[in-house]
C-alpha cells in the first residue's frame, strides 16, 4: 500500500515537472530567432526544435 502511495506521489511530481518544462520550452520557442531546416512535409528550427507542417 505504501509503495502505491509513493508511486502516485512520484507521478504527480513528475507531471508537475513536465508542465513546467513544457512552459519553459514554449517561452524559448516564442523568443527564438528561428533558423529552419525544411523537409518534404515540415520545417524544424535548428535552435529550438519548433516544428511547423508544410502540408496545408
Amino acid at each position: 500500500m505504501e509503495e502505491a502511495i509513493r508511486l502516485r506521489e512520484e507521478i504527480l511530481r513528475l507531471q508537475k515537472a513536465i508542465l513546467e518544462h513544457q512552459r519553459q520550452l514554449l517561452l524559448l520557442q516564442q523568443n527564438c530567432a528561428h533558423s529552419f531546416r525544411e523537409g518534404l512535409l515540415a520545417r524544424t528550427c535548428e535552435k529550438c526544435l519548433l516544428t511547423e507542417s508544410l502540408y496545408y
Side-chain angles (χ1 to χ4, degrees), residues 28-41:
L28 179 95
Q29 289 174 334
Q30 287 175 340
N31 295 315
C32 181
H34 300 299
S35 174
F36 286 105
R37 174 176 284 161
E38 293 195 13
L40 293 174
L41 299 175

Side-chain angles (χ1 to χ4, degrees), residues 16-33:
K16 288 178 184 177
I18 288 170
L19 289 174
E20 177 60 22
H21 288 120
Q22 287 174 330
R23 186 188 68 77
Q24 290 175 358
L25 179 59
L26 180 62
L27 287 173
L28 179 95
Q29 289 174 334
Q30 287 175 340
N31 295 315
C32 181

